[in-house]
Amino acid sequence: MSDDVLSVIPTDPRRQPGRAAAERAAALVASLEPGDPDGADVEIEISWYDTVTPVVCGSNLAAIGCPLCGGSVDTQWWADLLEAHADEGFETLAVDVPCCGGATSLDALRYDWPCGFARFEIAVWNPARDWFGAHELAALGEALGHPVRQIRARV
């Protein structure tokens, strides 16, 4: 059986909020999540990472595009790169893409289903909603003290 995860991360991959801001944002996430129709609590997980960590969309990923040449980036190249950094995370997101050899950043690639990189994440496991709306994301960013984005994963 697979799980769905709706994650909220800062737009700056290196940003980590303080505990009070993280708890405010997590409480807001809990209030915005309608919960399981059967009345079961939805699991909300707050994570701080020592290094920049991929927050990916799992099996939702359809394609990756290059922001430099507009070409396709091989998803196996990307998966191998993530696997190579699975234990230690990413010191830098700088990369030379295989399609055109140009220098860019992993967080600048065009993911067909959003993916991101972060040192902080609020994850809602098996949410009863698909996405947060623009106003909700703005409120979450305000609670966290930094703009946020969302990733929807199938794991």
Side-chain angles (χ1 to χ4, degrees), residues 59-83:
S59 64
N60 289 331
L61 183 63
I64 303 171
C66 177
L68 303 172
C69 70
S72 269
V73 173
D74 180 30
T75 55
Q76 189 58 54
W77 169 85
W78 184 76
D80 291 345
L81 188 62
L82 294 187
E83 186 176 324

Side-chain angles (χ1 to χ4, degrees), residues 23-155:
E23 289 172 9
R24 271 193 314 273
L28 182 54
V29 165
S31 74
L32 295 172
E33 172 54 44
D36 187 290
D38 297 327
D41 287 336
V42 173
E43 182 182 347
I44 298 175
E45 191 175 275
I46 303 172
S47 300
W48 279 267
Y49 304 112
D50 291 334
T51 59
V52 176
T53 301
V55 181
V56 298
C57 64
S59 64
N60 289 331
L61 183 63
I64 303 171
C66 177
L68 303 172
C69 70
S72 269
V73 173
D74 180 30
T75 55
Q76 189 58 54
W77 169 85
W78 184 76
D80 291 345
L81 188 62
L82 294 187
E83 186 176 324
H85 291 272
D87 292 333
E88 75 277 357
F90 286 86
E91 185 92 9
T92 177
L93 296 177
V95 66
D96 292 333
V97 286
C99 50
C100 63
T104 188
S105 175
L106 288 170
D107 61 338
L109 297 177
R110 297 182 182 140
Y111 299 98
D112 185 352
W113 275 76
C115 291
F117 295 84
R119 291 191 61 218
F120 175 79
E121 174 184 12
I122 300 173
V124 182
W125 285 84
N126 298 308
R129 64 181 307 144
D130 289 332
W131 300 97
F132 291 108
H135 288 92
E136 294 167 324
L137 287 174
L140 286 165
E142 187 174 316
L144 205 57
H146 189 81
V148 298
R149 55 190 300 233
Q150 60 189 328
I151 314 295
R152 177 76 185 219
R154 173 69 112 188
V155 293

